[in-house]
Amino acid sequence: MSHALVEAGADVTGVDIAEGALEAAREAVPQARFLQGPADVLPFEEHTFDRVVCTDVLVHVPDPRPVVAEMARVLKPGGLLFVSFINRNPLARLAMVTLGEGLGFVHRGTHDPAKFIKPAELLSWANRAGLQCVHEEGLGPTGWDQGFTFGRHPTTTVMVQQVYQPV
């Protein structure tokens, strides 16, 4: 995601807790700035960013609610928060865990289906953080290019993207 944003002309700052992921990101996108830290305590002043992107992170943190609140805190008034996540239902579990991990597209143990998120749950957490949803769409595989390519999908059954603005 950082690479695409830099190519589009954005000034990108990324945060990850895993140093290995940061090293790979720094090598792949040297034009961006990457910092190590937890998603629930971001090292930025309030109202720092015009756009915040959270791609497939919330299903991997111990508690996504403070992460949502922290993203809302660093978002400027009038800014946009883009969040993608895996929907919590049997079909998403089949697609992401049974097939995705079982067929080796993703390392085994990457996903805990209990941490998948229902769209209404994220909406509730975001509302409590002072955000309103302005768009929702499905995400999913759209093709193959040395691995799956992802984009807009006709259903939110497996993966969801929601876009928020401060109220």
Side-chain angles (χ1 to χ4, degrees):
M1 181 62 69
S2 297
H3 189 269
L5 291 169
V6 165
E7 283 187 345
D11 180 18
V12 174
T13 300
V15 177
D16 200 300
I17 199 162
E19 185 57 42
L22 291 168
E23 288 174 18
R26 288 181 186 117
E27 185 175 315
V29 191
Q31 310 91 321
R33 179 174 77 145
F34 295 99
L35 306 172
Q36 185 174 24
D40 59 346
V41 185
L42 296 171
F44 308 108
E45 298 290 324
E46 190 171 316
H47 309 304
T48 299
F49 298 102
D50 295 308
R51 304 287 186 266
V52 175
V53 179
C54 180
T55 304
D56 193 31
V57 171
L58 296 179
V59 299
H60 298 288
V61 298
D63 184 355
R65 291 171 290 199
V67 176
V68 173
E70 190 66 353
M71 291 186 297
R73 183 187 68 79
V74 301
L75 188 63
K76 287 181 180 177
L80 293 172
L81 167 62
F82 298 84
V83 183
S84 68
F85 57 97
I86 303 170
N87 200 342
R88 189 174 64 245
N89 61 56
L91 185 57
R93 180 185 184 132
L94 173 70
M96 302 304 287
V97 178
T98 305
L99 295 176
E101 294 183 17
L103 296 175
F105 293 115
V106 180
H107 294 291
R108 286 191 185 273
T110 297
H111 296 109
D112 176 357
K115 290 187 170 187
F116 293 175
I117 300 167
K118 291 196 170 286
E121 291 172 327
L122 181 54
L123 180 63
S124 173
W125 303 333
N127 288 163
R128 283 190 213 121
L131 301 169
Q132 65 180 355
C133 187
V134 296
H135 182 75
E136 178 179 277
E137 65 187 352
L139 294 176
T142 57
W144 182 268
D145 181 17
Q146 300 176 1
F148 282 111
T149 56
F150 283 80
R152 290 183 174 154
H153 217 259
T155 176
T156 59
T157 305
V158 177
M159 293 181 69
V160 183
Q161 176 175 273
Q162 292 178 337
V163 182
Y164 291 91
Q165 285 184 311
V167 177

